[in-house]
Coordinates of all heavy atoms in Angstrom, one line a residue:
N326 N 102.6 91.1 100.9 CA 101.8 90.0 100.7 C 100.7 90.0 101.8 O 100.9 90.1 103.0 CB 102.6 88.7 100.9 CG 103.5 88.5 99.7 OD1 103.2 89.0 98.6 ND2 104.5 87.7 99.8
V327 N 99.4 89.8 101.3 CA 98.3 89.8 102.2 C 97.7 88.4 102.4 O 97.3 88.0 103.5 CB 97.2 90.8 101.7 CG1 96.0 90.8 102.6 CG2 97.8 92.2 101.6
E328 N 97.7 87.7 101.3 CA 97.0 86.3 101.3 C 97.6 85.5 100.2 O 98.2 86.0 99.2 CB 95.5 86.5 101.1 CG 94.7 85.3 101.3 CD 93.2 85.6 101.2 OE1 92.8 86.7 101.6 OE2 92.5 84.8 100.7
N329 N 97.5 84.2 100.3 CA 97.9 83.3 99.2 C 96.7 82.4 98.9 O 96.1 81.8 99.8 CB 99.1 82.4 99.5 CG 99.5 81.6 98.4 OD1 98.9 80.6 98.0 ND2 100.6 82.0 97.8
K330 N 96.3 82.4 97.6 CA 95.2 81.6 97.1 C 95.7 80.8 95.9 O 96.4 81.3 95.0 CB 94.0 82.4 96.7 CG 93.2 83.0 97.8 CD 91.9 83.6 97.3 CE 91.1 84.2 98.5 NZ 89.9 84.9 98.0
T331 N 95.3 79.5 95.9 CA 95.7 78.7 94.7 C 95.1 79.3 93.4 O 93.9 79.7 93.4 CB 95.2 77.3 94.9 OG1 95.7 76.7 96.1 CG2 95.5 76.4 93.7
L332 N 95.9 79.4 92.4 CA 95.4 79.9 91.1 C 94.6 78.9 90.4 O 94.9 77.7 90.4 CB 96.6 80.3 90.2 CG 97.4 81.5 90.7 CD1 98.8 81.5 89.9 CD2 96.7 82.8 90.4
S333 N 93.5 79.3 89.8 CA 92.7 78.5 88.9 C 92.8 79.1 87.5 O 93.3 80.2 87.3 CB 91.2 78.5 89.3 OG 90.6 79.7 89.0
S334 N 92.4 78.3 86.5 CA 92.5 78.8 85.1 C 91.7 80.1 84.9 O 92.0 80.9 84.1 CB 92.0 77.7 84.1 OG 90.6 77.4 84.4
D335 N 90.6 80.3 85.7 CA 89.8 81.5 85.7 C 90.6 82.7 86.2 O 90.3 83.9 85.8 CB 88.5 81.4 86.5 CG 87.5 80.4 85.9 OD1 87.6 80.1 84.7 OD2 86.7 80.0 86.6
D336 N 91.7 82.5 86.9 CA 92.5 83.6 87.5 C 93.5 84.1 86.5 O 94.2 85.1 86.8 CB 93.2 83.2 88.8 CG 92.2 82.8 89.9 OD1 91.2 83.5 90.0 OD2 92.5 81.8 90.6
L337 N 93.7 83.4 85.4 CA 94.8 83.7 84.5 C 94.3 84.1 83.1 O 93.3 83.6 82.6 CB 95.7 82.4 84.3 CG 96.3 81.9 85.6 CD1 97.0 80.5 85.4 CD2 97.3 82.9 86.1
L338 N 95.1 84.9 82.4 CA 94.8 85.2 81.0 C 95.2 83.9 80.2 O 96.0 83.1 80.7 CB 95.7 86.3 80.6 CG 95.5 87.7 81.2 CD1 96.5 88.7 80.8 CD2 94.1 88.2 80.8
Q339 N 94.5 83.7 79.1 CA 94.8 82.6 78.3 C 96.3 82.5 77.8 O 96.9 81.5 77.8 CB 93.9 82.5 77.1 CG 92.5 82.0 77.4 CD 91.7 81.7 76.1 OE1 91.8 82.4 75.2 NE2 90.9 80.6 76.2
V340 N 96.8 83.7 77.4 CA 98.2 83.8 76.9 C 98.8 85.1 77.5 O 98.1 86.1 77.6 CB 98.2 83.9 75.4 CG1 99.6 84.1 74.9 CG2 97.6 82.7 74.7
H341 N 100.0 84.9 78.0 CA 100.8 86.1 78.4 C 101.6 86.5 77.2 O 102.5 85.8 76.8 CB 101.7 85.8 79.6 CG 100.9 85.4 80.8 ND1 101.0 84.2 81.5 CD2 99.9 86.0 81.5 CE1 100.2 84.1 82.5 NE2 99.5 85.2 82.5
C342 N 101.4 87.7 76.7 CA 102.0 88.2 75.5 C 102.8 89.4 75.7 O 102.4 90.3 76.4 CB 100.8 88.5 74.5 SG 101.4 89.0 72.8
F343 N 104.0 89.4 75.1 CA 105.0 90.5 75.3 C 105.6 90.9 73.9 O 105.8 90.0 73.1 CB 106.1 90.1 76.2 CG 105.7 89.6 77.6 CD1 105.4 88.3 77.8 CD2 105.5 90.6 78.6 CE1 104.9 87.9 79.1 CE2 105.0 90.2 79.8 CZ 104.7 88.9 80.1
Y344 N 105.7 92.2 73.7 CA 106.3 92.7 72.5 C 107.8 93.0 72.6 O 108.2 93.7 73.5 CB 105.5 93.9 72.0 CG 106.0 94.5 70.7 CD1 105.8 93.8 69.5 CD2 106.6 95.7 70.7 CE1 106.2 94.3 68.3 CE2 107.0 96.3 69.5 CZ 106.8 95.6 68.3 OH 107.2 96.1 67.1
D345 N 108.6 92.4 71.7 CA 110.0 92.6 71.7 C 110.2 93.8 70.7 O 110.0 93.7 69.5 CB 110.7 91.4 71.2 CG 112.2 91.6 71.2 OD1 112.8 92.7 70.9 OD2 112.9 90.6 71.6
V346 N 110.5 95.0 71.3 CA 110.7 96.2 70.6 C 111.8 96.1 69.5 O 111.7 96.6 68.4 CB 110.9 97.4 71.5 CG1 111.1 98.7 70.8 CG2 109.8 97.6 72.5
L347 N 112.9 95.5 69.9 CA 114.1 95.4 69.1 C 113.8 94.5 67.8 O 114.1 94.9 66.7 CB 115.3 94.8 69.8 CG 116.6 94.7 69.1 CD1 117.1 96.0 68.7 CD2 117.6 94.0 70.0
F348 N 113.2 93.4 68.0 CA 113.0 92.4 66.9 C 111.6 92.6 66.3 O 111.3 91.9 65.3 CB 113.3 91.0 67.3 CG 114.7 90.8 67.7 CD1 115.1 90.7 69.0 CD2 115.6 90.7 66.7 CE1 116.5 90.5 69.3 CE2 117.0 90.5 66.9 CZ 117.4 90.4 68.3
K349 N 110.7 93.4 66.9 CA 109.4 93.6 66.4 C 108.6 92.3 66.3 O 107.9 92.0 65.3 CB 109.4 94.4 65.1 CG 110.0 95.8 65.3 CD 110.0 96.6 64.0 CE 110.6 97.9 64.1 NZ 111.2 98.4 65.2
K350 N 108.7 91.5 67.4 CA 108.0 90.2 67.4 C 107.3 90.1 68.8 O 107.7 90.7 69.7 CB 109.0 89.1 67.2 CG 109.6 89.1 65.8 CD 110.6 87.9 65.7 CE 111.3 87.9 64.4 NZ 112.3 86.9 64.2
Y351 N 106.3 89.1 68.8 CA 105.6 88.9 70.1 C 106.1 87.5 70.6 O 106.3 86.6 69.9 CB 104.1 88.8 69.8 CG 103.6 90.2 69.5 CD1 103.5 90.6 68.1 CD2 103.2 91.1 70.5 CE1 103.0 91.9 67.8 CE2 102.8 92.4 70.2 CZ 102.7 92.7 68.8 OH 102.2 94.0 68.5
F352 N 106.2 87.5 72.0 CA 106.6 86.2 72.6 C 105.7 86.0 73.8 O 105.1 86.9 74.4 CB 108.1 86.4 73.2 CG 109.1 86.5 72.1 CD1 109.4 87.7 71.5 CD2 109.7 85.3 71.6 CE1 110.3 87.8 70.5 CE2 110.6 85.4 70.5 CZ 111.0 86.7 70.0
D353 N 105.6 84.7 74.2 CA 104.9 84.4 75.5 C 105.8 84.4 76.7 O 107.0 84.7 76.5 CB 104.1 83.0 75.3 CG 105.0 81.8 75.3 OD1 106.3 81.9 75.5 OD2 104.5 80.7 75.0
D354 N 105.3 84.0 77.8 CA 106.1 84.1 79.1 C 107.1 82.9 79.2 O 107.7 82.8 80.2 CB 105.2 84.1 80.3 CG 104.2 83.0 80.4 OD1 103.8 82.4 79.4 OD2 103.9 82.6 81.5
K355 N 107.1 82.0 78.2 CA 108.1 81.0 78.2 C 109.2 81.3 77.1 O 110.0 80.4 76.9 CB 107.5 79.6 77.8 CG 106.3 79.2 78.8 CD 106.9 79.0 80.2 CE 105.8 78.5 81.1 NZ 105.9 79.1 82.4
G356 N 109.2 82.4 76.5 CA 110.2 82.8 75.5 C 109.9 82.3 74.1 O 110.7 82.4 73.3
R357 N 108.7 81.8 73.9 CA 108.4 81.2 72.6 C 107.7 82.3 71.8 O 106.9 83.1 72.2 CB 107.4 80.1 72.7 CG 108.0 78.9 73.5 CD 106.9 77.8 73.7 NE 105.8 78.3 74.5 CZ 105.2 77.6 75.5 NH1 105.5 76.4 75.7 NH2 104.2 78.1 76.2
Q358 N 108.1 82.4 70.5 CA 107.6 83.4 69.6 C 106.1 83.1 69.3 O 105.8 81.9 69.1 CB 108.3 83.5 68.3 CG 107.9 84.6 67.4 CD 108.7 84.7 66.1 OE1 109.8 84.3 66.1 NE2 108.1 85.4 65.1
L359 N 105.3 84.1 69.3 CA 103.8 83.9 69.0 C 103.6 84.4 67.6 O 104.2 85.3 67.1 CB 103.0 84.8 70.0 CG 103.1 84.4 71.4 CD1 102.4 85.4 72.3 CD2 102.5 83.0 71.7
E360 N 102.6 83.7 66.9 CA 102.3 84.0 65.6 C 101.4 85.3 65.5 O 101.3 85.9 64.4 CB 101.6 82.9 64.9 CG 102.5 81.6 64.8 CD 103.7 81.9 64.0 OE1 103.6 82.6 62.9 OE2 104.8 81.5 64.4
S361 N 100.7 85.6 66.5 CA 99.8 86.8 66.5 C 99.9 87.4 67.9 O 100.4 86.8 68.9 CB 98.4 86.4 66.2 OG 97.9 85.5 67.1
V362 N 99.3 88.6 68.0 CA 99.3 89.4 69.3 C 98.1 89.0 70.1 O 97.0 88.7 69.5 CB 99.3 90.9 69.0 CG1 98.1 91.3 68.3 CG2 99.5 91.7 70.3
Y363 N 98.2 88.9 71.4 CA 97.2 88.7 72.3 C 97.1 89.9 73.3 O 98.1 90.4 73.7 CB 97.4 87.4 73.1 CG 97.4 86.2 72.3 CD1 98.5 85.7 71.6 CD2 96.2 85.4 72.2 CE1 98.5 84.6 70.9 CE2 96.2 84.3 71.5 CZ 97.3 83.8 70.8 OH 97.3 82.7 70.0
E364 N 95.9 90.3 73.6 CA 95.8 91.5 74.5 C 95.4 91.0 75.9 O 94.6 90.0 76.0 CB 94.7 92.5 73.9 CG 95.1 93.1 72.6 CD 96.3 94.0 72.6 OE1 96.7 94.4 73.7 OE2 96.9 94.2 71.6
P365 N 95.8 91.7 76.9 CA 96.7 92.8 76.8 C 98.2 92.3 76.7 O 98.5 91.2 77.1 CB 96.6 93.5 78.2 CG 96.2 92.3 79.1 CD 95.4 91.4 78.3
H366 N 99.0 93.1 76.0 CA 100.4 92.6 75.8 C 101.3 93.6 76.4 O 101.1 94.8 76.4 CB 100.7 92.4 74.3 CG 100.8 93.7 73.5 ND1 99.7 94.3 72.9 CD2 101.9 94.4 73.2 CE1 100.1 95.4 72.3 NE2 101.4 95.5 72.4
G367 N 102.4 93.1 77.0 CA 103.4 94.0 77.7 C 104.6 94.1 76.8 O 104.7 93.6 75.7
I368 N 105.7 94.6 77.4 CA 107.0 94.8 76.8 C 107.8 93.6 77.2 O 107.8 93.2 78.4 CB 107.6 96.1 77.1 CG1 106.8 97.3 76.7 CG2 109.0 96.2 76.6 CD1 106.5 97.3 75.2
Y369 N 108.5 93.0 76.3 CA 109.4 91.8 76.5 C 110.7 92.2 77.2 O 111.7 92.5 76.6 CB 109.7 91.2 75.1 CG 110.2 89.8 75.1 CD1 109.5 88.8 75.8 CD2 111.4 89.5 74.5 CE1 110.0 87.5 75.8 CE2 111.9 88.2 74.4 CZ 111.2 87.2 75.1 OH 111.7 85.9 75.1
G370 N 110.6 92.3 78.5 CA 111.7 92.7 79.3 C 111.3 92.7 80.8 O 110.2 92.4 81.2
L371 N 112.3 92.9 81.6 CA 112.1 92.9 83.1 C 111.9 94.3 83.6 O 112.6 95.2 83.3 CB 113.4 92.3 83.7 CG 113.4 91.9 85.2 CD1 112.5 90.7 85.4 CD2 114.8 91.6 85.7

Side-chain angles (χ1 to χ4, degrees):
N326 288 338
V327 176
E328 188 175 324
N329 185 288
K330 286 187 180 176
T331 302
L332 290 165
S333 73
S334 59
D335 290 340
D336 297 320
L337 300 170
L338 296 171
Q339 280 190 323
V340 177
H341 297 123
C342 182
F343 302 91
Y344 182 65
D345 187 319
V346 177
L347 183 61
F348 295 103
K349 299 181 180 3
K350 296 178 181 177
Y351 293 93
F352 293 88
D353 69 8
D354 60 326
K355 303 295 182 217
R357 299 176 295 218
Q358 186 175 339
L359 297 170
E360 296 301 317
S361 60
V362 63
Y363 295 84
E364 296 297 342
H366 71 275
I368 299 298
Y369 195 54
L371 191 67

